[in-house]
Amino acid sequence: MKLAFSTLGVPGLPIADVVRLATAHGYHGVELRTHPEEPVHTGLGHTERADVAAEFKTAGVEILGLAGYTRVAAPGDDAPVIAEIRELLDLARDLGAPYVRVFPGAGEDQDPEEADATAARRLGTAAEYAADLDVRILLETHDSHRTGADATRVLGLVGHRQAGALWDVMHTWLGGEQPVTSFASLSPFLGYIQVKDIASADDTAPLPLGAGVLPLAECVELLAREGW
């Protein structure tokens, strides 16, 4: 897997069209936004899951990961959060996807140490389940934990191979972190990297890669140098 695109950019597109888009433009894989309004979500039955997996396999396109929306640091009881992650993990196993994405999602008034501990506790529990399925849970640099340093505070507490990091280069930049610093923090945990471009910190609508302000060339050069 070298290059994939996310169905976040093609909302609601039928899977057959997603696969055709990938093959037509030379992508090796696809990250599937996993949400009830999308063709792929945790409510799919076994036959539907098998059909999706077969569609990708026939085309020779990999499913890189499932982009879920579970917020692992959010206030509240652990049980519903862990159950939601398990549903994502089961779907990933059925589709042959190696990763599921989760968000941090701590509350604005939440104590940072409490948020870290909450996220780590839930990820640690879910990681044990993930290990049996050979799927990794990736905590994205996002919202309450947008820098590499933020994410690795949590992952260091988890200490489980099946809990890793997804580097969203926009959020680490918005958090004031340089790519070399982000990579240094995230590299021991890194599953994959999301690249995008934006006009400014105040205007985050997607732009074509290279047309905005994000340090994409620096990121690519760094990743290449480090064997990515």
Side-chain angles (χ1 to χ4, degrees):
M1 173 70 64
K2 291 184 181 296
L3 186 64
F5 71 87
S6 174
T7 57
L8 178 66
V10 286
L13 193 68
I15 290 300
D17 293 332
V18 169
V19 171
R20 278 196 290 270
L21 193 63
T23 55
H25 294 280
Y27 284 91
H28 307 109
V30 176
E31 178 196 71
L32 293 173
R33 179 176 183 257
T34 308
H35 189 277
E37 65 191 25
E38 296 289 351
V40 173
H41 52 80
T42 56
L44 291 184
H46 292 298
T47 300
E48 295 168 302
R49 295 177 184 209
D51 289 345
V52 171
E55 189 113 39
F56 278 93
K57 185 174 182 179
T58 299
V61 178
E62 297 178 50
I63 300 175
L64 171 61
L66 305 183
Y69 287 83
T70 306
R71 299 182 179 273
V72 295
D77 295 336
D78 287 356
V81 177
I82 294 169
E84 194 174 319
I85 300 172
R86 285 189 170 196
E87 288 181 348
L88 276 172
L89 290 168
D90 286 339
L91 180 59
R93 173 202 57 202
D94 294 343
L95 298 182
Y99 302 113
V100 300
R101 185 278 303 279
V102 297
F103 283 151
E108 290 184 7
D109 299 326
Q110 203 170 357
D111 176 75
E113 288 189 9
E114 178 191 350
D116 289 352
T118 297
R121 183 176 65 249
R122 292 166 176 171
L123 284 171
T125 300
E128 295 291 338
Y129 186 73
D132 293 334
L133 306 183
D134 196 26
V135 179
R136 288 187 79 198
I137 308 163
L138 301 183
L139 179 66
E140 184 171 323
T141 54
H142 198 273
D143 54 76
S144 62
H145 291 65
R146 67 184 356 169
T147 67
D150 292 333
T152 54
R153 278 200 322 271
V154 172
L155 295 170
L157 292 173
V158 179
H160 196 295
R161 169 65 184 165
Q162 298 307 117
L166 198 171
W167 180 12
D168 181 327
V169 301
M170 180 184 76
H171 282 280
T172 54
W173 181 83
L174 289 172
E177 202 172 59
Q178 295 300 312
V180 66
T181 304
S182 300
F183 181 79
S185 295
L186 295 169
S187 59
F189 307 99
L190 198 53
Y192 63 96
I193 302 98
Q194 287 180 345
V195 294
K196 59 193 72 174
D197 218 343
I198 56 174
S200 70
D202 298 318
D203 183 0
T204 58
L207 294 176
L209 298 181
V213 297
L214 295 184
L216 300 183
E218 184 180 348
C219 289
V220 170
E221 192 276 333
L222 169 66
L223 293 164
R225 189 170 68 242
E226 295 293 339
W228 276 81

